[in-house]
Amino acid sequence: MTGPRIEIDLEKIRDNTRCLVERLKPCGISVTGVTKAVCGHPSIAMAMLDGGAIGLADARITNVRRMRDAGVTCPILMIRTPMLSQVEQIVETCDASCNTESGVITALAAEARRKGTSHEIILMVEMGDEREGIMPEDLADAALIVTRTPQALLKGIGANFSCLTNTAPAPEAMADLSSLAHEVEERCGPFVETISGGSSANLAWAFDKGTGGRVNNLRIGEAILLGTDPISGRPISGLHTDAFTLLAEVIETKIKSKPVPLKLSDPALSALSLIPGHHWTTRSILAIGLQDTDPTGLTFPATVTFSGATSDHIVVETTNCPLRIGSEISLQMNYSALVRAMATPDVSKVLLRNRPLTKRATTRSNGQLPEFL
Ligand SMILES: *Cc1c(COP(=O)(O)O)cnc(C)c1O
């Protein structure tokens, strides 16, 4: 295998999902696996389902289509408010979508009617994250409109925390979400089946509290994939933090003098400089850059220090052991590094501990099984 690549240990993804599913079960909370950070990679999606996720969620139609094309048949939720221009594809590929605009809901319902089907709606409430959401005082009215729109099924309500603001959700906000579910039911009658309380950022709240109130679902991406808490960036106990490893090849290693600025603007500062003339370091270049990942989101081996990056290069310094040309170094990625690396075709994706595709996934549309089965 050559070139920059991500090695993906699917067993660790299964393990992480299983661990979260087991820990949330006593709180009455199910897990929806969020695949947007991995561009809807079908094998990763399958690993989440194997680990006990009840369904999947993604923010982009291209990712959803990729999963459907690979034979993923589970419920898929569109977690970004659908574009009016994409309602046709949303109804075709997603069972449900998160919504905040009545015009979009009407268009989804009209499209569902045209297709002779129906579409489930999760109404998103603004609970302080300052991203998408209906204001809490307007929620019951919005829910009433959905229940009166044929082919639009009110599946539940949901909220987002810590996406834009990066602060942990307050327990009071979570309690408010539960009360809103009651309020909607008083107003509209039908049981609100799903109360989707947020993302990986809500795990600390869920583990701490022991019961989710009426919150019965979380949409989890980062914790499953990276084993980290998005707010603190710290590992969550019991989860693997190394399911993904980025490998980059060393293309240059030289002892170089660090340029000392020839003219410091202030002569007094120049006089103070402790560096006499040159400062020698061992510098290496890795064949990967800003186009491939977020270099500031990488964790380097202990002997390697990041010094800078351009579109196609990452420059590092080493102390005692110089990096050999052609050797590879292993890097751990944070969320933004992972998202970018998964999205570029120049970084190949290598699956470790993959399971054979399920019969469901490999059955051809003509009903015949592939020859290798
Ligand atoms: C991205 C996203 C999630 C998942 O967030 P993680 O931090 O990866 O768990 C959940 N809900 C919505 C609406 C999102 O956009």
Side-chain angles (χ1 to χ4, degrees):
M1 190 53 72
T2 60
R5 64 187 187 280
I6 306 177
E7 287 183 352
I8 307 164
D9 187 332
L10 293 170
E11 190 59 30
K12 290 184 178 167
I13 297 192
R14 278 178 219 118
D15 266 356
N16 281 359
T17 313
R18 210 175 289 127
C19 177
L20 290 167
V21 166
E22 292 301 318
R23 284 173 75 178
L24 289 170
K25 203 180 278 169
C27 320
I29 296 177
S30 64
V31 171
T32 296
V34 177
T35 49
K36 69 184 181 207
V38 292
C39 297
H41 193 297
S43 301
I44 300 173
M46 296 283 198
M48 290 177 170
L49 294 172
D50 287 342
I54 58 156
L56 301 168
D58 205 289
R60 289 168 195 254
I61 203 77
T62 41
N63 296 345
V64 175
R65 184 145 336 252
R66 187 177 175 197
M67 294 190 277
R68 291 299 190 216
D69 287 349
V72 175
T73 55
C74 74
I76 298 184
L77 168 70
M78 171 54 58
I79 43 174
R80 185 169 67 183
T81 312
M83 289 178 229
L84 256 188
S85 60
Q86 290 187 339
V87 290
E88 192 179 343
Q89 299 164 67
I90 299 279
V91 171
E92 190 185 323
T93 56
C94 302
D95 306 76
S97 57
C98 293
N99 284 276
T100 61
E101 292 289 344
S102 57
V104 175
I105 295 168
T106 309
L108 288 165
E111 180 58 32
R113 198 170 316 128
R114 247 192 306 278
K115 286 192 161 63
T117 164
S118 56
H119 187 74
E120 294 170 341
I121 305 291
I122 301 240
L123 289 176
M124 297 301 279
V125 203
E126 160 63 62
M127 303 286 293
D129 187 44
E130 297 167 33
R131 207 177 69 179
E132 79 272 26
I134 297 164
M135 295 309 286
E137 57 271 26
D138 301 328
L139 181 67
D141 282 345
L144 199 59
I145 294 173
V146 177
T147 57
R148 289 177 180 167
T149 308
Q151 264 75 37
L153 305 177
L154 181 63
K155 165 102 168 154
I157 63 173
N160 237 338
F161 298 90
S162 322
C163 272
L164 197 59
T165 54
N166 207 36
T167 47
E172 300 77 45
M174 301 310 291
D176 288 349
L177 190 60
S178 290
S179 339
L180 282 169
H182 290 300
E183 203 180 298
V184 166
E185 285 180 350
E186 270 168 27
R187 190 73 188 279
C188 308
F191 179 66
V192 179
E193 184 187 317
T194 303
I195 292 112
S196 191
S199 63
S200 302
N202 293 71
L203 285 168
W205 161 81
F207 294 155
D208 195 40
K209 195 157 176 292
T211 159
R214 290 221 37 196
V215 172
N216 59 9
N217 174 261
L218 288 177
R219 309 172 302 270
I220 309 284
E222 176 164 345
I224 292 176
L225 299 168
L226 296 176
T228 45
D229 169 18
I231 297 170
S232 65
R234 280 196 290 271
I236 297 171
S237 70
L239 300 186
H240 301 284
T241 54
D242 57 351
F244 295 83
T245 305
L246 179 63
L247 292 120
E249 189 171 324
V250 179
I251 52 172
E252 181 188 297
T253 290
K254 294 196 186 304
I255 297 172
K256 292 190 179 178
S257 62
K258 245 188 183 167
V260 172
L262 289 178
K263 281 188 214 141
L264 287 174
S265 55
D266 182 346
L269 279 179
S270 300
L272 274 176
S273 170
L274 296 176
I275 305 160
H278 287 291
H279 176 59
W280 298 92
T281 57
T282 307
R283 288 164 84 88
S284 296
I285 298 176
L286 310 177
I288 193 165
L290 289 162
Q291 273 194 45
D292 308 294
T293 189
D294 174 4
T296 62
L298 298 175
T299 304
F300 291 83
T303 54
V304 177
T305 315
F306 172 72
S307 70
T310 58
S311 312
D312 310 295
H313 302 79
I314 286 182
V315 180
V316 296
E317 288 184 8
T318 52
T319 37
N320 292 325
C321 26
L323 301 173
R324 195 169 42 78
I325 305 305
S327 66
E328 289 180 324
I329 73 164
S330 298
L331 306 157
Q332 293 308 127
M333 296 175 280
N334 74 0
Y335 191 84
S336 74
L338 174 72
V339 169
R340 221 185 285 174
M342 284 302 296
T344 174
D346 289 336
V347 174
S348 47
K349 284 77 189 176
V350 180
L351 303 173
L352 309 179
R353 297 199 275 178
N354 198 2
R355 278 188 191 163
L357 288 177
T358 60
K359 193 172 151 196
R360 177 194 64 202
T362 52
T363 306
R364 300 223 173 110
S365 50
N366 62 8
Q368 282 176 0
L369 292 177
E371 274 121 43
F372 60 81
L373 280 182

